Amino acid sequence: MLTEKSRKLMAGIENVLKNEEIIDAVSGYGEVSGMKPGSKFKCFLVLTPTRVIYYYKKPIVGHEYLDFHLDKIISIHLSASLMGSNVNIDTLETSVLVDTIPETEEVDKFVKNVKFYLDAYKRENSSVLKDNLDAVDRISKIAELKKEIMTRKCREMMKGIENLLENEEIVDAIAGRGKGKWLEGNAKFKGVLVLTSKRVIFYYKKLISGYGSEDFPLDMISSINFSTGFTGGSVKINTIANSFELDMIMGDEEIEEFVKSVKSYIARCKEESSLVSKENLDVADQISKFAELRDKGILTEEEFTVQKRKLLGM
């Protein structure tokens, strides 16, 4: 449901519509691949029964728009960042990213609506879409090749990291440029963000010689978020003591998978910590009960000590 405020901000879009109704819309700040770098405009993504319209306002010039017809859209996905939600649409020719969208529920509804109309369009126009299969297949193969290159790059950049591991396995890794308060002069270093079963490690090459590292134990991480853009994605980690950001990461899917893996291991770490705390409380409670029996004269000091040692595993 469009608000009155949204309709006012979309003034003039009726000139773009071709006997179509507006199904849904979200607003934010958008950029399109192929445009001049840094060309970010206040915009709307508008869904109609046949297309998604990128309707934006340029300084001085006024409103302009780009079409993303449903038969050309390969994918649409939603992500989150500290500044709001992001919507990324990939087509055969280009891609658009709209970020800083404040209403999370509205964005989620918009993406679901687009996917619904995409599925409906595909069912009704299967013969038209068949012409695009070869192009989609080529794009998929390019994506797979990029992923393979990134995996190989991560492995090369992780040489020597085995010396840092302490009975832990590497779960996942992504490469980029890292910055944090603890780095020399707050500079950026090329490196790899590595998830292990115990922690997240930023392993980087120093400017002069050798490698450096910084640890983020899973139980110390308060939050981890990611965002995507045309210069690459970024991952931000916040801990109790400091914060860290890795940017210029290639591969949106790989970034999302990495963050999901980190969140999964953090949840597992918290669960294990909770179980240990519960076990410690149970042991303390049992020792307290034996102490009461000793104080009442039911157990001797020696018997109490024996039971206490058993509970403590001594």
Side-chain angles (χ1 to χ4, degrees):
M1 183 70 69
L2 295 178
T3 63
E4 190 60 32
K5 182 180 178 182
S6 293
R7 292 183 185 279
K8 286 180 180 178
L9 290 170
M10 286 194 293
I13 197 168
E14 63 275 3
N15 300 320
V16 177
L17 302 175
K18 302 170 183 175
N19 297 319
E20 307 163 273
E21 62 171 322
I22 294 176
I23 307 299
D24 203 352
V26 289
S27 64
Y29 289 87
E31 53 184 331
V32 178
S33 61
M35 280 190 172
K36 184 180 177 181
S39 300
K40 211 168 191 178
F41 303 104
K42 177 70 178 174
C43 69
F44 275 88
L45 279 179
V46 182
L47 171 64
T48 78
T50 60
R51 56 182 171 155
V52 175
I53 303 169
Y54 173 60
Y55 190 67
Y56 62 102
K57 188 172 183 179
K58 293 181 74 173
I60 304 173
V61 179
H63 285 97
E64 293 191 7
Y65 74 96
L66 292 171
D67 278 343
F68 299 94
H69 289 274
L70 296 180
D71 64 322
K72 302 292 185 183
I73 293 176
I74 299 170
S75 67
I76 176 171
H77 61 266
L78 172 68
S79 61
S81 69
L82 295 175
M83 300 299 291
S85 299
N86 314 313
V87 174
N88 203 126
I89 298 176
D90 293 309
T91 74
L92 293 171
E93 295 88 13
T94 187
S95 63
V96 60
L97 172 69
V98 176
D99 59 22
T100 324
I101 311 171
E103 304 88 358
T104 305
E105 289 184 7
E106 295 299 317
V107 183
D108 186 53
K109 182 170 70 70
F110 177 82
V111 172
K112 285 179 180 177
N113 282 337
V114 173
K115 288 181 177 179
F116 174 82
Y117 275 84
L118 275 172
D119 289 339
Y121 191 90
K122 286 175 183 176
R123 285 194 299 270
E124 294 172 10
N125 300 274
S126 56
S127 59
V128 175
L129 294 172
K130 190 176 179 182
D131 297 335
N132 293 329
L133 288 178
D134 289 341
V136 172
D137 183 56
R138 285 197 300 274
I139 290 170
S140 297
K141 286 178 179 177
I142 291 170
E144 287 175 9
L145 181 60
K146 283 183 178 178
K147 187 174 182 179
E148 183 183 335
I149 292 169
M150 283 303 298
T151 303
R152 191 161 60 242
K153 183 180 178 182
C154 282
R155 285 175 183 164
E156 289 173 358
M157 294 176 75
M158 284 194 295
K159 285 179 181 177
I161 198 171
E162 62 275 2
N163 300 321
L164 299 177
L165 302 180
E166 302 168 355
N167 298 319
E168 54 195 315
E169 62 172 330
I170 292 176
V171 179
D172 201 356
I174 48 175
R177 294 193 313 169
K179 62 177 180 178
K181 291 179 180 177
W182 40 268
L183 288 173
E184 302 164 21
N186 202 26
K188 286 188 177 182
F189 292 88
K190 286 184 179 179
V192 186
L193 203 57
V194 182
L195 168 64
T196 78
S197 49
K198 296 180 181 179
R199 53 187 167 154
V200 174
I201 305 169
F202 177 53
Y203 187 68
Y204 62 98
K205 188 172 178 61
K206 292 183 177 180
L207 293 175
I208 300 174
S209 64
Y211 289 85
S213 66
E214 183 67 18
D215 287 354
F216 304 97
L218 295 176
D219 60 350
M220 297 293 286
I221 296 175
S222 54
S223 67
I224 177 169
N225 299 289
F226 76 94
S227 61
T228 57
F230 293 116
T231 58
S234 65
V235 171
K236 187 167 185 180
I237 296 175
N238 291 307
T239 72
I240 297 169
N242 56 26
S243 63
F244 168 80
E245 184 175 1
L246 187 78
D247 60 18
M248 295 190 72
I249 313 166
M250 296 298 108
D252 292 352
E253 289 183 7
E254 286 72 26
I255 300 169
E256 187 173 359
E257 285 174 12
F258 179 85
V259 172
K260 281 182 180 178
S261 295
V262 174
K263 288 182 176 180
S264 174
Y265 272 81
I266 288 173
R268 187 186 302 181
C269 179
K270 286 180 179 177
E271 187 178 343
E272 290 174 356
S273 178
S274 177
L275 288 172
V276 170
S277 297
K278 188 175 182 299
E279 287 175 4
N280 290 338
L281 285 173
D282 290 342
V283 169
D285 185 52
Q286 290 183 58
I287 290 174
S288 179
K289 287 177 180 178
F290 280 124
E292 285 180 17
L293 293 173
R294 178 200 60 192
D295 295 341
K296 291 177 181 179
I298 298 171
L299 291 179
T300 64
E301 184 66 38
E302 185 179 347
E303 289 171 332
F304 167 73
T305 301
V306 169
Q307 295 301 324
K308 181 180 176 181
R309 284 179 173 274
K310 283 182 180 179
L311 289 169
L312 296 174
M314 297 170 67

